[in-house]
Amino acid sequence: NALVIDIGAGTMDICALKGQIPLAEDQITIKKAGNHIDALLAEAIVDRYPDVRVTPNQVRTIKEPYSFVGKPPHGPIKVELRANGLPVLCDVTDEIRQACEAIVPEIVEGVELLFKRFSPDDLPKVLQNIILAGGGLYLVTALSQSRSRPVPMNSPVSGKNKVLPPQRRRSRSRA
């Protein structure tokens, strides 16, 4: 018995595994994920710093190492961007928090819905077997490290669960 939360670029998939092939009702797909966070972050940066222009690649470069929910783990996040062609140091802490936290309610709602699909007898084991995966691993790691609320010992963020590294596509060389 396990719960898998896979955050990708285009979708988040949450699946309840109960010792058999999951049924359709054991799976939830949410169409807000990494790309949605990118768009929110880019918009928030430009709203706060109107002279700054950011490309999608720059947004990902900011998002991936600095994503967090709750309190920033290492203080303010300041990045160098360009305003009218000149380098400027921009504090993007609030923008990153707001963009990342925008998808949290839907994750929580999906997890709560799928928890109801398990037998009450199985829930203690499921709480110890939540698997976080996907290319959005930077965010699930931030979620698992968040301490914005008290964390029960058997909670998904208690440190006893698994975080799977994202799978990189390998290029195939032709001989």
Side-chain angles (χ1 to χ4, degrees):
N1 292 320
L3 188 75
V4 177
I5 303 170
D6 180 0
I7 301 178
T11 64
M12 288 186 289
D13 299 291
I14 307 171
C15 183
L17 301 175
K18 300 185 280 185
Q20 61 190 24
I21 295 175
L23 302 172
E25 57 266 19
D26 294 328
Q27 304 172 62
I28 296 172
T29 296
I30 300 167
K31 299 203 184 289
K32 291 181 183 175
N35 293 341
H36 180 70
I37 293 170
D38 292 351
L40 293 174
L41 181 54
E43 183 179 336
I45 290 171
V46 172
D47 284 350
R48 182 166 178 191
Y49 301 101
D51 293 334
V52 167
R53 297 292 171 252
V54 290
T55 67
N57 187 51
Q58 288 173 312
V59 171
R60 277 190 304 278
T61 301
I62 294 167
K63 175 188 70 175
E64 290 177 3
Y66 297 115
S67 292
F68 70 96
V69 294
K71 293 172 67 174
H74 304 291
I77 299 165
K78 296 182 180 183
V79 296
E80 184 177 289
L81 297 171
R82 299 278 172 173
N84 300 317
L86 300 173
V88 293
L89 197 58
C90 300
D91 183 339
V92 294
T93 310
D94 290 335
E95 290 73 17
I96 292 173
R97 176 190 304 109
Q98 291 167 5
C100 291
E101 289 180 351
I103 65 170
V104 171
E106 291 177 74
I107 295 171
V108 171
E109 183 179 316
V111 168
E112 287 175 345
L113 181 67
L114 290 180
F115 274 168
K116 294 175 186 175
R117 305 259 323 131
F118 286 97
S119 161
D121 294 334
D122 293 332
L123 281 175
K125 183 174 182 177
V126 173
L127 285 170
Q128 296 302 315
N129 202 18
I130 295 175
I131 301 165
L132 306 173
L137 184 62
Y138 62 87
L139 180 60
V140 295
T141 301
L143 285 169
S144 70
Q145 294 171 351
S146 170
R147 296 294 188 254
S148 58
R149 299 183 209 168
V151 179
M153 288 307 292
N154 64 348
S155 124
V157 296
S158 66
K160 296 182 181 181
N161 293 292
K162 299 170 189 70
V163 176
L164 302 179
Q167 297 296 314
R168 301 277 185 214
R169 292 187 181 170
R170 295 184 182 156
S171 61
R172 297 180 187 178
S173 59
R174 295 183 180 176

